[in-house]
Amino acid sequence: MHGTHLGVPPHIWLVEDDEDMVTLLRFYLEREGYRITATTDGRLAKEVIEQTEPPQLALLDVLLPYVGGDEVLTHIRRHPVWKGVPIIMLTALAAEHSIARMLDAGASDYIVKPFNPQELTARVRRFVKPAA
């Protein structure tokens, strides 16, 4: 479990190209007591992984411009510093095979869009508790 400093909101990194979805996720998660940073495509996401401290949790969309979420997932799992970060995949594909493939590749969990906000926050809380 990643401990958090008292009163410091845990950092959730969101990789999602749909602006409305980013706004929605930011709204729900900030309200719960998390700090959100967002990256809008897979190529930028790989740069973020190389250049910044890992977050407490990553929310990663499967369908991203330039580099797919599955490739970003693999990149994180191979990275010496980031490899332990819990990753929840966001998928619009309720296709069983893609979900199984992502879990096999190291995803911690997944959420199928459109999602229920309570379900989203409950799944996030499984991995990282909001700041007290």
Side-chain angles (χ1 to χ4, degrees):
M1 278 304 290
H2 290 279
T4 53
H5 306 297
L6 222 57
V8 177
H11 176 208
I12 294 179
W13 181 46
L14 171 59
V15 186
E16 167 64 75
D17 60 314
D18 180 330
E19 267 178 52
D20 294 335
M21 186 61 70
V22 170
T23 304
L24 201 65
L25 286 160
R26 192 186 288 280
F27 173 76
Y28 290 130
L29 293 167
E30 285 179 349
R31 196 176 62 179
E32 290 287 314
Y34 297 101
R35 181 170 68 89
I36 311 301
T37 55
T39 302
T40 51
D41 74 58
R43 199 163 52 195
L44 287 169
K46 288 175 87 168
E47 290 176 21
V48 169
I49 294 162
E50 294 309 318
Q51 293 164 8
T52 62
E53 287 291 300
Q56 272 74 54
L57 176 78
L59 283 172
L60 183 54
D61 191 31
V62 176
L63 296 171
L64 292 167
Y66 309 116
V67 172
D70 48 353
E71 194 178 322
V72 176
L73 169 66
T74 303
H75 195 71
I76 292 172
R77 287 294 174 248
R78 288 184 181 149
H79 193 278
V81 183
W82 280 61
K83 64 174 183 244
V85 172
I87 299 169
I88 300 178
M89 302 300 288
L90 301 171
T91 174
L93 320 163
E96 299 305 313
H97 67 276
S98 69
I99 289 167
R101 208 174 59 228
M102 289 180 296
L103 293 170
D104 285 342
S108 313
D109 202 352
Y110 67 92
I111 295 174
V112 177
K113 297 186 224 175
F115 50 79
N116 166 310
Q118 280 78 26
E119 182 191 357
L120 167 77
T121 52
R123 286 181 184 268
V124 167
R125 273 196 308 271
R126 285 181 55 205
F127 300 102
V128 54
K129 302 279 180 271

